[in-house]
Every structure is written in structure tokens, then in C-alpha cells.
């Protein structure tokens, strides 16, 4: 059985990250980690016993802009240079699997060749998010709330001006555009073709709004991989992620949610935060260990 690659975007919570690494640490996996350049985390803090653990060059990641794609490409490129993995799982450092590695590997073996990417269904403004030059993207998550809202207002105002005066030209790089969950599980061929298209993608989405939620979906939909998408209609079933956007942005799972997560048909969940509720993390890890002992 071919190995899998876990690609982790991390920025905080050393103890929680090590717990995540521990449950991914399996001879069937390699782990690649990107640590945000602003983070105080050090690669020397993390240990594995069965997997190979690689760290990629750090990008100064800012919410909602091209730097997230740049960090993802650091992970994708490092992974394909290391091995031809069966699947590449892009996850956050605040995610957890919901099942053992044997269960996860068997699932993907059964569905070999399919791409697990989430496609959203809500209406969205492609002109604003993709074709406009979105200004102040690095300012939209600053701690000063009044200033943050001011920059948000300016971004929207300038976008409306661009649209009203027809200062934008729809880009014909793709026939169709879609958005959805950033996190995915995709095949070796998909990743290699995505990396081959890196320069065009980075140039095209340079000024886009939250392009990390657009570029993989749009790439897949305009390629041969459209025919291999696991589920085009249900976003989180499609990417096998349990994420709750109704109670938060996204909601942080708590102990009270354990039964729901334990019975989920998804393979991964986000987000967890040991500073909010450490018990739910311990409960999920105990569930996985029990599953491993029974397999």
C-alpha cells in the first residue's frame, strides 16, 4: 500500500500540534509542516518515531490573500519531490482525524483515484472575489477592530468603483469558477498538475479575495479531474471534513460535541483549540487509539 502525505499549515498550540503529529505518526505516512513565519513555534519542538517529518520554508501568512496559496505550494512541492504518494491531505494544525490511520488508508484505497475537494453552493460574487484588485488584504485581520472595519469598508468601496466603472476585465483562464473548503485530500497526479500550473495560478490570484477557497476548486473543474470528484454537490461530504460554519467561523468543537463527531461519516474535523477545550481533543485521540487496538 502506497504511503500518504499529510500537509499541515500550523501557527500555534505546540502541545496540540504534537498530539496531532502523534496520531498521524505511522509508517504509512510522511508529514510535511509549514509554520507561519510570524509564529513562535520551532521545528525542534516536534518529534516522530515512525513517519518522516519535514519542515518547509516559512511564508508570512495573512488571512484571505495569496500568501496562503504560497504556503500551500511550499507543502505540495516538498511532498512531490519526496515521493509519489497515494493521497495528499491538506489540513490545519487545528484539525484532527476522526478515525485511525488503518481506517483512513482503507477508505482511500477503496476510493482510489477520486479527488476529495469541497464545492460550495451559495451564490458568490466572482467579480469582487476574483476579478477585482482587492486592496488592504493584509489589514483585514489586524487587532484594532475600528481600523479593521475601516479597511474592510475601503476594500468594498474600491471594488464597487472598479465594477461600476468597468475597470475590470473578466479573466478567461477558466470556463467556470467555483469556491469551497480550503482543506482537501487529493491524488498524486492532481498535485503534480497543480504544481505545474503554479506560476499562472499565483499570478492570476495575486489580488483575489480568499483565493485559497477558489483555486483548487476552479482548477479541478476546468481539468480532467472534474470527472473524478467524489462529490460536487455536498461541500463537506466532498472533502470529508466535519466543519461547522453555523455556530462559528468556524466553530471550535467542545466536549459536548463528542458523540456527534464520533458518529460522523467524515474522516477529519476542524477546528479544535486546546485553549478552549482540551477534553474534546483527548476524547477524539482516545477513540482513535481504541480503533487502532481493535484493527
Amino acid at each position: 500500500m502506497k504511503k500518504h502525505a499529510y500537509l499541515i499549515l500550523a501557527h500555534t498550540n505546540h502541545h496540540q500540534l504534537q498530539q496531532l503529529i502523534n496520531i498521524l505518526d505511522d509508517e504509512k505516512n510522511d508529514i510535511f509542516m509549514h509554520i507561519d513565519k510570524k509564529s513562535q513555534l520551532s521545528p525542534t519542538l516536534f518529534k516522530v518515531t515512525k513517519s518522516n517529518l519535514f519542515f518547509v520554508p516559512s511564508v508570512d501568512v495573512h488571512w484571505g490573500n495569496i500568501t496562503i496559496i504560497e504556503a500551500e505550494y511550499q507543502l505540495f512541492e516538498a511532498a512531490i519531490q519526496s515521493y509519489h504518494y497515494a493521497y495528499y491531505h491538506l489540513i490545519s494544525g487545528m484539525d484532527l482525524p476522526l478515525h485511525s490511520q488503518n481506517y483512513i488508508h482503507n477508505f482511500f484505497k477503496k476510493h482510489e483515484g477520486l479527488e476529495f475537494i469541497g464545492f460550495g453552493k451559495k451564490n458568490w460574487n466572482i467579480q469582487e472575489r476574483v476579478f477585482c484588485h482587492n486592496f488592504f488584504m493584509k489589514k483585514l485581520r489586524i487587532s484594532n477592530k475600528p481600523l479593521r472595519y475601516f479597511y474592510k469598508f475601503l476594500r468594498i468601496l474600491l471594488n464597487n468603483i472598479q465594477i461600476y466603472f468597468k475597470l475590470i476585465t473578466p479573466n478567461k483562464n477558466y470556463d467556470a469558477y467555483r469556491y469551497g473548503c480550503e482543506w482537501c485530500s487529493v491524488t498524486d497526479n492532481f498535485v503534480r498538475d497543480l504544481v505545474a500550473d503554479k506560476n499562472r495560478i499565483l499570478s492570476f490570484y495575486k489580488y483575489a479575495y480568499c483565493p485559497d477557497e477558489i483555486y483548487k476548486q476552479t482548477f479541478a473543474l476546468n481539468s480532467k479531474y472534474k470527472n473524478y470528484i467524489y462529490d460536487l454537490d455536498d461541500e463537506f461530504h466532498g472533502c470529508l471534513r466535519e466543519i461547522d460554519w453555523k455556530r462559528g467561523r468556524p466553530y471550535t468543537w467542545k466536549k459536548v460535541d463528542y458523540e456527534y463527531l464520533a458518529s460522523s461519516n467524515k474522516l477529519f474535523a476542524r477546528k479544535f483549540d486546546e485553549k478552549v477545550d482540551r477534553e474534546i481533543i483527548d476524547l477524539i485521540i482516545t477513540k482513535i487509539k481504541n480503533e487502532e487496538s481493535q484493527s
Side-chain angles (χ1 to χ4, degrees):
M1 185 178 290
K2 291 181 70 173
K3 297 173 75 173
H4 287 202
Y6 280 91
L7 316 178
I8 306 174
L9 288 173
H11 70 282
T12 191
N13 291 8
H14 159 246
H15 178 261
Q16 180 179 336
L17 265 172
Q18 184 61 61
Q19 286 182 295
L20 171 61
I21 290 170
N22 289 344
I23 55 177
L24 301 178
D25 188 10
D26 188 292
E27 59 273 3
K28 299 186 294 295
N29 300 328
D30 285 334
I31 302 169
F32 297 80
M33 186 182 294
H34 174 275
I35 298 176
D36 191 331
K37 201 166 189 177
K38 297 184 294 296
S39 174
Q40 299 301 309
L41 296 173
S42 168
T44 60
L45 295 172
F46 303 100
K47 307 295 180 185
V48 291
T49 60
K50 300 175 183 177
S51 300
N52 294 308
L53 175 59
F54 304 95
F55 293 89
V56 302
S58 294
V59 174
D60 183 8
V61 175
H62 291 266
W63 177 88
N65 79 349
I66 193 68
T67 54
I68 303 179
I69 298 181
E70 291 171 351
E72 290 183 13
Y73 266 118
Q74 291 284 6
L75 291 166
F76 286 135
E77 288 179 310
I80 64 171
Q81 289 168 11
S82 178
Y83 185 75
H84 285 265
Y85 296 97
Y87 274 92
Y88 299 71
H89 307 288
L90 180 64
I91 64 175
S92 157
M94 304 184 87
D95 294 3
L96 287 174
L98 296 176
H99 291 280
S100 70
Q101 288 305 300
N102 282 340
Y103 183 101
I104 290 172
H105 278 256
N106 288 334
F107 176 91
F108 285 103
K109 183 64 177 175
K110 181 179 178 181
H111 297 87
E112 189 173 3
L114 297 181
E115 309 296 344
F116 297 85
I117 304 168
F119 288 79
K121 298 184 78 171
K122 294 180 181 178
N123 293 327
W124 61 300
N125 190 330
I126 185 175
Q127 287 187 314
E128 181 185 20
R129 288 192 61 171
V130 179
F131 301 143
C132 282
H133 182 133
N134 283 270
F135 292 90
F136 311 115
M137 288 303 301
K138 292 185 178 181
K139 305 288 189 181
L140 298 184
R141 285 293 177 95
I142 59 176
S143 57
N144 185 318
K145 187 177 288 188
L147 196 55
R148 186 168 75 237
Y149 283 116
F150 175 69
Y151 282 122
K152 180 180 179 181
F153 168 78
L154 278 182
R155 182 190 72 83
I156 295 172
L157 175 64
L158 290 171
N159 281 357
N160 287 335
I161 290 173
Q162 291 176 69
I163 294 169
Y164 181 80
F165 287 102
K166 299 181 179 178
L167 300 176
I168 59 172
T169 303
N171 195 304
K172 299 301 183 182
N173 271 336
Y174 303 105
D175 294 327
Y177 292 82
R178 286 285 292 274
Y179 83 100
C181 180
E182 174 184 1
W183 317 103
C184 62
S185 296
V186 288
T187 63
D188 183 68
N189 286 337
F190 182 93
V191 173
R192 290 178 186 275
D193 286 347
L194 190 68
V195 169
D197 210 23
K198 173 185 173 182
N199 290 338
R200 184 172 70 140
I201 286 173
L202 290 180
S203 174
F204 177 56
Y205 291 104
K206 186 175 181 180
Y207 300 110
Y209 179 83
C210 295
D212 51 297
E213 298 175 346
I214 304 170
Y215 85 104
K216 291 184 289 291
Q217 283 79 2
T218 298
F219 175 83
L221 204 62
N222 291 272
S223 71
K224 62 185 179 182
Y225 300 103
K226 177 182 179 181
N227 299 320
Y228 299 96
I229 293 168
Y230 179 61
D231 190 335
L232 258 172
D233 300 315
D234 186 324
E235 181 176 4
F236 298 111
H237 182 246
C239 65
L240 305 174
R241 268 67 175 173
E242 196 66 73
I243 306 174
D244 185 346
W245 284 99
K246 294 180 180 178
R247 292 183 288 173
R249 301 189 58 79
Y251 171 72
T252 300
W253 299 108
K254 300 176 180 63
K255 181 182 178 181
V256 68
D257 303 303
Y258 173 72
E259 293 300 329
Y260 173 79
L261 292 174
S263 61
S264 172
N265 63 356
K266 313 296 194 305
L267 298 186
F268 306 95
R270 79 176 306 265
K271 68 179 182 177
F272 300 87
D273 190 340
E274 63 185 6
K275 296 172 184 175
V276 175
D277 192 325
R278 181 175 288 189
E279 286 187 86
I280 182 60
I281 297 173
D282 294 336
L283 285 169
I284 295 295
I285 291 173
T286 299
K287 172 192 179 294
I288 291 172
K289 288 181 177 178
N290 289 338
E291 197 173 284
E292 287 173 347
S293 66
Q294 296 169 9
S295 62

